Amino acid sequence: MHIVINQALDQALKEGKIIRNPAKATKPPKIEKKEARYLTPEQLAGFLESITDDRWYPAFIVDLNSGMRLGELCALKWSNVDLQKGTVSIKEAVSRINKNGKWVFHFHPPISKKGLRTIPLPSGAVEELKRLKKRQNEEKLRLQITGLYQDNGFVFTWEDGRMVDPGYLSKHFKKVINQFGYEGITFHSLRHSYASALLTMGEHPKVVQELLGHAQISMTLDTYSHVAPEIKER
């Protein structure tokens, strides 16, 4: 806010509309960087092993192996998944907005141009998507007879084809992860876990930036500064 106001008043000063820029006399608050909370490989192994029967297990697996934002994951469609090449293409995201007192889904492009990206998946995640596709086709066959199935092409859906609400998926993950006593872990921590693992294994930060869809590499480096000691030691 300070940057925008300062720039606007600087321009007004150049145009002679004001005699001084009062924003220069203010002191903006210091930006506090929050440490990215993530799960270690050991924590992830125990967590995933215990939730294989959970309906949203495939969503957790794919997110852990792609680093997608929650809105990008829920908006993902099969048309943007290439099971042969083992890639997912991020074209849009979904969020909930209040429209005239009613909450509705709002589909929109990713938050930056860098957000439009294609992410390669490891074989385990691809196999999980294939199993999900098979299950979804079976559910579709069962419910199409009743006319209740909503075939909108989403990857992560309820039995009747409805896209899973990002808010619900976030709360469900929190409910499941709380059973393990991991403090401060949220759905977004899966994205952090993906990035932290890549950097720890020696992947170049520029590659991690591209995979995450960060607009600037500085954001990647600042967010994942906690892996610096391991990189320095190596």
Side-chain angles (χ1 to χ4, degrees):
M1 292 172 118
H2 182 271
I3 290 169
V4 173
I5 293 170
N6 184 52
Q7 288 176 340
L9 293 175
D10 261 348
Q11 185 62 34
L13 186 62
K14 290 173 185 175
E15 295 178 13
K17 294 180 179 179
I18 56 177
I19 58 172
R20 61 183 288 272
N21 179 353
K24 298 291 186 187
T26 63
K27 186 178 180 181
K30 184 180 178 181
I31 297 174
E32 293 184 11
K33 299 288 184 181
K34 288 186 177 181
E35 183 181 339
R37 302 301 299 268
Y38 65 102
L39 293 165
T40 65
E42 294 75 22
Q43 289 173 326
L44 282 171
F47 166 63
L48 293 172
E49 189 178 339
S50 66
I51 62 162
T52 52
D53 293 333
D54 192 287
R55 179 171 184 85
W56 309 112
Y57 175 78
F60 301 154
I61 287 290
V62 171
D63 204 71
L64 271 170
N65 289 282
S66 67
M68 279 189 274
R69 298 177 177 91
L70 177 58
E72 295 169 344
L73 186 78
C74 292
L76 186 66
K77 292 188 174 182
W78 287 112
S79 57
N80 292 322
V81 176
D82 191 324
L83 292 174
Q84 287 189 325
K85 291 183 179 178
T87 62
V88 291
S89 296
I90 310 304
K91 304 290 186 183
E92 63 181 350
V94 63
S95 54
R96 288 205 311 165
I97 60 171
N98 194 312
K99 192 173 183 180
N100 300 322
K102 184 179 180 183
W103 289 101
V104 296
F105 290 127
H106 172 58
F107 290 88
H108 53 86
I111 59 177
S112 71
K113 288 183 180 179
K114 288 286 187 182
L116 294 167
R117 62 202 189 278
T118 297
I119 306 170
L121 296 174
S123 58
V126 174
E127 290 304 311
E128 195 59 47
L129 281 173
K130 288 179 179 177
R131 284 191 286 271
L132 173 62
K133 182 73 171 172
K134 181 182 178 183
R135 184 187 75 185
Q136 205 175 75
N137 286 337
E138 292 170 352
E139 291 173 345
K140 183 177 177 180
L141 282 173
R142 280 200 307 269
L143 286 177
Q144 267 188 333
I145 303 171
T146 63
L148 296 175
Y149 195 85
Q150 300 179 28
D151 193 2
N152 295 315
F154 292 109
V155 175
F156 302 108
T157 67
W158 292 98
E159 292 89 338
D160 60 2
R162 284 178 297 122
M163 179 197 77
V164 62
D165 185 324
Y168 171 82
L169 193 57
S170 177
K171 289 177 182 176
H172 178 72
F173 175 80
K174 188 70 176 172
K175 179 181 177 181
V176 174
I177 201 71
N178 279 349
Q179 298 172 12
F180 294 81
Y182 299 146
E183 290 295 326
I185 297 296
T186 65
F187 193 94
H188 202 66
S189 300
L190 298 180
R191 175 173 162 87
H192 291 325
S193 301
Y194 168 75
S196 298
L198 288 176
L199 290 167
T200 302
M201 290 188 295
E203 189 56 79
H204 196 286
K206 186 65 179 175
V207 174
V208 178
Q209 175 208 344
E210 296 286 341
L211 291 170
L212 292 176
H214 283 163
Q216 302 290 336
I217 194 171
S218 57
M219 183 176 183
T220 310
L221 295 171
D222 285 346
T223 306
Y224 300 101
S225 58
H226 59 268
V227 301
E230 295 178 49
I231 294 173
K232 286 177 184 175
E233 286 174 20
R234 184 166 60 246

